[in-house]
């Protein structure tokens, strides 16, 4: 009996060429993370709901609970475990459990799926891959790491076809100090409201602030702060001009100014001081980051994170950290799904070895083995069809080269190196030359698939 396939929204399943494109992006991110000295870890998919809950306005209702279908009556209502909705919360738990075995400051990267039980929409998925870097220490964490993470992200994006982007940086101490200087006590609630500015606009935010108990003057000042954005340290004078004073505000302004100065030297034009950025998760305590594509700012952040001072603590020691996360699935939803980015071929193979006839398939297999031994991805033709059909097989998959084994077995009768008469054909140019499997190599650009845009495909 045939079973109807029912699609489930909120998941990315790529065709082969697009999956290769995803892997190229992941490999690029991993390479850059390791170049900057981050070590890889992997954490379990499940955490206790108690640990996951309470990390933000919507965190509780976004958690996927986990239970066994075959659970007994005594377990039927168990909702103690949930799938993690980001990689920072499980990383904090990992640090606590392994603190005696880790060397601090600890620099880690993590590339794993996460899950959120929210309504799937453009750029937002139920299951998604994140690529995170974090630096944690014991007791205190130097501020210079907060600028360093920006430079890592800039290095990643310089190697990927993301187009123009900006990393928007703020410090929650600026917002908290400013709000307290205005006489506002509910800092967290105010942050959450102002964080909705891009979604509901200034009038909507003003109304919510008034409903939360702010005066008209306080609401106006909150909006005035949120409108400040500069590529240099000019934001400091603009905040001072608003006439609000608080020691926490002074601290936040100094920290953010230092970050902007470092970014201006090492990644000019990329980083923006944006005082409306707040991030929705409650564990951030200082610097926060959000990254926007300039051609489509409404798409939302593709890379975000921030400083957290109390997320990891065992009651005696605190492990402050700073982290930033590239939303890989979100980024690829834009680049692949919407803009058509893909790989130059749908298979890793750079060479198809033709088969003259089934009786001589072993000859083709020896050629393939010799090429693979030298790191050249190679596929043997599945059928000893006419050469035209074998060429067509390679061309449809984007394989650039077809190898034609010679018919003279040579002196010994086995081993590709002993044979003569082999030819290799470049399907793009049509050029065909004599080749030896012990020494021939494709151009470096053809050895692995590459990322291509629709106009290049």
């Amino acid at each position: 009996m045939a079973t109807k396939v029912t699609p489930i929204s909120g998941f990315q399943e790529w065709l082969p060429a697009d999956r290769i494109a995803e892997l190229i992006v992941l490999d690029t991110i991993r390479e850059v993370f390791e170049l900057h000295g981050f070590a890889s870890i992997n954490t379990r998919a499940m955490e206790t709901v108690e640990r996951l809950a309470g990390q933000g306005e919507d965190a509780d209702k976004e958690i996927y609970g986990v239970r066994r279908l075959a659970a007994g009556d005594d377990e039927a209502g168990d909702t103690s475990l949930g799938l993690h909705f980001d990689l920072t919360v499980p990383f904090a738990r990992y640090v606590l459990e392994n603190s005696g075995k880790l060397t601090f400051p600890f620099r880690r990267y993590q590339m794993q799926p996460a899950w959120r039980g929210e309504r799937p929409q453009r750029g937002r998925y139920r299951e998604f891959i994140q690529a995170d870097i974090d630096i944690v220490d014991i007791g205190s964490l130097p501020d210079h790491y907060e600028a360093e993470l920006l430079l890592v992200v800039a290095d990643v994006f310089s190697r990927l076809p993301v187009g123009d982007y900006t990393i928007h940086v703020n410090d929650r101490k600026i917002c908290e100090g400013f709000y307290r200087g205005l006489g506002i006590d509910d800092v967290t609630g105010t942050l959450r409201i102002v964080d909705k500015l891009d979604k509901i606009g200034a009038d909507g935010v003003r109304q919510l602030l008034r409903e939360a108990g702010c005066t008209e003057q306080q609401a106006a000042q909150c909006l005035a702060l949120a409108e400040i954005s500069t590529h240099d340290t000019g934001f400091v004078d603009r905040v001072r001009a608003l006439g609000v004073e608080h020691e926490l505000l002074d601290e936040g302004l100094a920290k953010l100014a230092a970050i902007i100065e470092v970014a201006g030297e090492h990644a000019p034009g990329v980083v923006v001081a944006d005082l409306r950025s707040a991030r929705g998760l409650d564990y951030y305590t200082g610097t926060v980051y959000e990254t926007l594509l300039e051609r489509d700012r409404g798409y939302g952040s593709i890379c975000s994170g921030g400083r957290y001072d109390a997320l990891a603590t065992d009651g005696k020691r605190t492990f402050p950290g700073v982290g930033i996360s590239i939303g890989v699935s979100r980024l690829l939803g834009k680049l692949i799904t919407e803009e058509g980015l893909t790989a130059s071929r749908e298979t890793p193979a750079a060479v198809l070895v033709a088969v003259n006839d089934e009786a001589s398939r072993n000859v083709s297999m020896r050629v393939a083995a010799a090429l693979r031994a030298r790191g050249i991805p190679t596929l043997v033709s599945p059928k000893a069809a006419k050469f035209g059909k074998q060429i067509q097989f390679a061309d449809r998959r984007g394989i650039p080269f077809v190898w034609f084994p010679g018919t003279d077995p040579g002196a010994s009768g086995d081993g590709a190196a002993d044979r003569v008469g082999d030819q290799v054909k470049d399907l793009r140019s049509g050029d065909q030359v004599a080749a030896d499997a012990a020494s021939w190599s494709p151009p470096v650009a053809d050895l692995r698939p590459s990322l291509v845009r629709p106009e290049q495909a």
Side-chain angles (χ1 to χ4, degrees):
M1 181 178 178
T3 302
K4 183 179 179 180
V5 177
T6 304
I8 303 177
S9 63
F11 297 84
Q12 287 178 331
E13 289 186 331
W14 305 115
L15 291 173
D18 295 339
R19 170 59 174 162
I20 289 176
E22 180 183 51
L23 290 174
I24 292 172
V25 169
L26 289 169
D27 287 345
T28 301
I29 295 172
R30 175 187 54 78
E31 178 183 356
V32 174
F33 286 173
E34 292 182 355
L35 281 173
H36 287 263
F38 291 86
S40 176
I41 69 165
N42 203 62
T43 57
R44 66 198 186 206
M46 292 185 289
E47 299 288 336
T48 63
V49 171
E50 180 182 8
R51 177 168 292 278
L52 293 172
Q55 300 297 343
E57 184 177 20
D58 298 319
D60 294 10
K61 62 186 179 184
E62 290 181 356
I63 299 169
Y64 275 116
V66 178
R67 70 176 181 86
R68 294 188 306 124
L69 291 178
D73 292 340
D74 59 332
E75 302 177 84
D78 182 14
T79 57
S80 61
L81 297 177
L83 297 175
H84 58 236
F85 57 81
D86 73 356
L87 301 182
T88 305
V89 174
F91 172 59
R93 186 266 311 158
Y94 175 94
V95 169
L96 291 175
E97 289 187 0
N98 295 283
S99 60
K101 303 173 185 177
L102 299 175
T103 303
F104 294 93
F106 179 50
R107 303 165 68 93
R108 86 82 161 90
Y109 80 86
Q110 210 172 331
M111 299 166 66
Q112 286 182 237
W115 297 266
R116 287 188 183 178
E118 60 183 2
R119 181 175 63 85
Q121 52 188 301
R122 183 179 182 234
R124 302 186 72 88
Y125 308 94
R126 289 173 173 164
E127 179 184 67
F128 50 94
I129 297 173
Q130 291 188 178
D132 285 25
I133 47 173
D134 284 76
I135 304 173
V136 297
D137 211 336
I138 301 176
S140 63
L141 182 75
D143 294 341
H144 64 79
Y145 290 127
E146 295 169 40
E148 181 182 344
L149 293 195
L150 298 177
L151 305 184
V152 179
V153 170
D155 194 356
V156 169
F157 287 166
S158 72
R159 301 165 189 244
L160 294 173
V162 300
D164 292 337
Y165 68 95
T166 48
I167 305 174
H168 296 246
V169 191
N170 193 9
D171 192 303
R172 280 197 169 190
K173 289 184 173 67
I174 295 175
C175 299
E176 181 175 352
F178 191 85
Y179 299 156
R180 293 196 184 284
L182 288 174
I184 298 174
D185 295 325
D186 185 7
V187 172
T188 300
T190 305
L191 277 171
R192 288 175 176 172
I193 293 172
V194 175
D195 197 40
K196 299 177 186 293
L197 192 57
D198 288 332
K199 296 180 180 179
I200 64 176
D203 290 341
V205 168
R206 181 181 292 103
Q207 180 178 343
L208 290 179
L209 288 173
R210 292 300 308 276
E211 291 174 358
C214 290
T215 66
E216 184 63 38
Q217 178 63 19
Q218 288 173 327
Q221 286 282 69
C222 290
L223 286 168
L225 179 72
E227 291 301 322
I228 296 175
S229 176
T230 67
H231 283 273
D232 54 24
T233 58
F235 69 90
V236 176
D237 290 338
R238 292 180 61 182
V239 173
R240 296 297 186 201
L242 296 177
V244 178
E245 296 183 1
H246 194 278
E247 60 182 12
L248 205 56
L249 173 62
D250 296 339
E251 182 183 344
L253 289 173
K255 283 188 59 178
L256 184 56
I259 290 172
I260 295 300
E261 287 178 351
V262 172
E265 177 181 353
H266 296 281
V270 169
V271 179
V272 178
D274 184 353
L275 304 194
R276 77 168 57 187
S277 297
R279 303 292 300 134
L281 295 172
D282 289 347
Y283 52 68
Y284 294 123
T285 56
T287 303
V288 289
Y289 317 99
E290 289 190 323
T291 306
L292 302 178
L293 296 173
E294 288 302 297
R295 65 184 176 281
D296 190 356
R297 293 166 67 90
Y299 190 68
S301 180
I302 57 168
C303 176
S304 56
R307 169 90 179 222
Y308 47 91
D309 287 308
L311 183 59
T313 179
D314 58 11
K316 297 180 180 179
R317 298 176 301 170
T318 299
F319 300 85
V322 60
I324 197 164
S325 172
I326 299 173
V328 178
S329 296
R330 185 171 179 80
L331 176 61
L332 294 183
K334 178 66 175 175
L335 298 182
I336 294 178
T337 304
E338 297 189 7
E339 298 181 352
L341 183 74
T342 189
S344 56
R345 54 184 186 259
E346 65 178 50
T347 171
V351 180
L352 176 76
V353 181
V355 177
N356 293 328
D357 52 56
E358 289 301 332
S360 63
R361 177 171 287 275
N362 281 343
V363 174
S364 298
M365 292 177 67
R366 293 185 192 112
V367 171
L371 293 173
R372 291 173 188 143
R374 296 174 45 244
I376 302 171
T378 304
L379 180 65
V380 177
S381 179
K383 294 182 180 180
K386 293 181 179 180
F387 282 158
K389 289 188 176 297
Q390 295 188 59
I391 290 172
Q392 187 180 64
F393 177 91
D395 190 49
R396 285 178 174 174
R397 289 157 179 78
I399 300 174
F401 296 96
V402 175
W403 189 287
F404 300 103
T407 55
D408 182 355
S412 66
D414 66 356
D418 294 329
R419 297 173 52 262
V420 295
D422 288 29
Q423 301 271 317
V424 65
K425 183 182 183 70
D426 186 331
L427 297 189
R428 297 155 301 181
S429 66
D431 294 339
Q432 186 167 319
V433 298
D436 183 345
S439 59
W440 178 88
S441 293
V444 174
D446 292 327
L447 192 60
R448 296 286 187 274
S450 59
L451 295 175
V452 295
R453 290 200 170 274
E455 59 271 16
Q456 299 172 306

